[in-house]
Amino acid sequence: MGIRLSPLGIAVFCLLGVGVIYHLYAGVLSSRIASFRQKRTVDLRDLLALSMEAAVQGGREVKRIREDNTLEEKSKGKTKEGASEKLTLGDLNSHRKMFYLIKNTYPYIQVNSEEHANAEGEATVWTRIIPEEILAKISGGKEVPAERITVWIDPLDATQEYTENLQKYVTTMVCVALDGDPVIGVIHKPFTGYTGYKVLALLDPNDEEQETADVYIHVTYIKKWDICAGDAILKSLGGQLTTLRGEQIDYSGTEGNNGGLLASIKTDHKALVKRLPPWEENKQ
């Protein structure tokens, strides 16, 4: 014989059932939130390995599309100086690989890219395999809060040269800034396979074919994804990169740098700043 409940009994039973379900759901949800909060830190060694993998994966797309001659070249506008800003399928495909590899791995860190593809995101997930050269040179455990990190990626630097098949100038770049200071820089050359990188005290910038200079001056507006990785590597070599007024560049916040650039190595940077004429910022 089944148990019959009065309307009041049914109401009480239902409320108890809802209460049990609510507490179960709330418990699961709170544990997931707690777990999520606990993971909102990033190991810089892991982030270096991920940055290198992102640059290499983007570079593969850049190289493949150039070799297949499927650039689908077009203009995305003009620079302040009136030059055409070219866009190719290499830029877009590299962006998708690099951006979503990083974002799928660490969805809670800020990632800024030169390109903004409207297509659905890649399902790429990092394998978390750290190269032996990194394991040998840097220990783990250098964890920092995710909110202190800003990542800048340039999916294809030197697009103009890319369309002209001047391969040695083409790079993919990833830079990680901690509180606005560039602490990881990765520059990858897709057509040679060279990858230079820097993280805190770790450095491997050697590229025998790279052109060198002791001083570099840039006077026009420039985006931070173009300079952040180079800034990180230059600093690791004992050089400096500042605005033309000698100010450090903050790699958090807005994407543009209006103050020009002065890069130097093996020279008195402050003395160079004093020798420059008065500087008025470019407004973009």
Side-chain angles (χ1 to χ4, degrees):
M1 179 181 293
I3 299 174
R4 293 186 178 181
L5 296 175
S6 66
L8 178 60
I10 293 173
V12 171
F13 179 80
C14 290
L15 286 172
L16 288 173
V18 170
V20 170
I21 293 172
Y22 169 78
H23 284 294
L24 286 173
Y25 177 76
V28 171
L29 185 61
S30 62
S31 65
R32 289 186 177 180
I33 291 173
S35 176
F36 179 75
R37 286 175 175 170
Q38 288 173 1
K39 294 180 180 179
R40 289 181 70 92
T41 59
V42 179
D43 188 302
L44 290 179
R45 185 181 67 175
D46 290 355
L47 195 50
L48 169 62
L50 175 61
S51 299
M52 291 177 66
E53 180 63 21
V56 169
Q57 285 197 20
R60 289 195 192 109
E61 289 298 301
V62 168
K63 184 179 181 183
R64 178 182 65 81
I65 290 168
R66 177 66 268 185
E67 291 178 344
D68 292 346
N69 199 27
T70 55
L71 274 65
E72 299 183 15
E73 177 186 341
K74 58 184 178 182
S75 174
K76 60 180 179 181
K78 291 185 179 296
T79 65
K80 185 179 179 181
E81 294 70 41
S84 175
E85 283 196 277
K86 295 187 181 296
L87 179 69
T88 70
L89 192 60
D91 295 88
L92 295 176
N93 280 17
S94 177
H95 160 79
R96 294 185 187 109
K97 288 291 184 182
M98 296 174 69
F99 180 87
Y100 289 109
L101 180 64
I102 297 172
K103 203 64 177 173
N104 289 346
T105 305
Y106 295 116
Y108 39 81
I109 65 175
Q110 177 66 37
V111 182
N112 300 317
S113 173
E114 179 174 9
E115 308 305 339
H116 305 280
N118 293 323
E120 292 184 3
E122 294 269 340
T124 311
V125 177
W126 183 41
T127 61
R128 294 193 176 272
I129 296 175
I130 300 177
E132 289 295 329
E133 61 179 317
I134 295 179
L135 291 173
K137 293 179 180 179
I138 187 170
S139 61
K142 293 180 173 62
E143 295 202 354
V144 296
E147 61 269 18
R148 295 175 60 192
I149 292 175
T150 306
V151 177
W152 299 90
I153 63 175
D154 192 342
L156 199 170
D157 191 53
T159 301
Q160 176 67 45
E161 290 78 3
Y162 180 64
T163 63
E164 298 170 4
N165 207 20
L166 300 173
Q167 298 179 359
K168 70 176 184 177
Y169 299 108
V170 176
T171 63
T172 59
M173 298 190 288
V174 182
C175 181
V176 177
L178 181 63
D179 298 326
D181 182 41
V183 295
I184 293 176
V186 176
I187 300 178
H188 175 68
K189 292 188 172 183
F191 296 99
T192 67
Y194 161 80
T195 304
Y197 59 88
K198 177 262 185 185
V199 56
L200 304 177
L202 176 65
L203 173 67
D204 183 15
N206 299 315
D207 180 8
E208 295 178 356
E209 297 182 2
Q210 181 64 44
E211 298 175 4
T212 60
D214 292 338
V215 177
Y216 172 76
I217 296 176
H218 182 92
V219 299
T220 58
Y221 178 85
I222 195 167
K223 302 292 181 66
K224 291 176 182 175
W225 44 67
D226 289 316
I227 59 175
C228 186
D231 191 350
I233 291 176
L234 180 62
K235 285 179 178 176
S236 70
L237 293 169
Q240 291 191 61
L241 189 151
T242 66
T243 68
L244 293 175
R245 292 178 176 174
E247 301 161 335
Q248 296 297 320
I249 298 170
D250 183 356
Y251 292 98
S252 57
T254 59
E255 65 185 31
N257 171 56
N258 297 302
L261 296 176
L262 176 63
S264 71
I265 191 168
K266 301 176 184 177
T267 189
D268 187 335
H269 192 86
K270 290 183 178 180
L272 288 175
V273 172
K274 291 179 180 178
R275 293 172 61 185
L276 294 175
W279 173 253
E280 292 186 6
E281 287 191 353
N282 287 294
K283 301 299 182 182
Q284 182 80 356

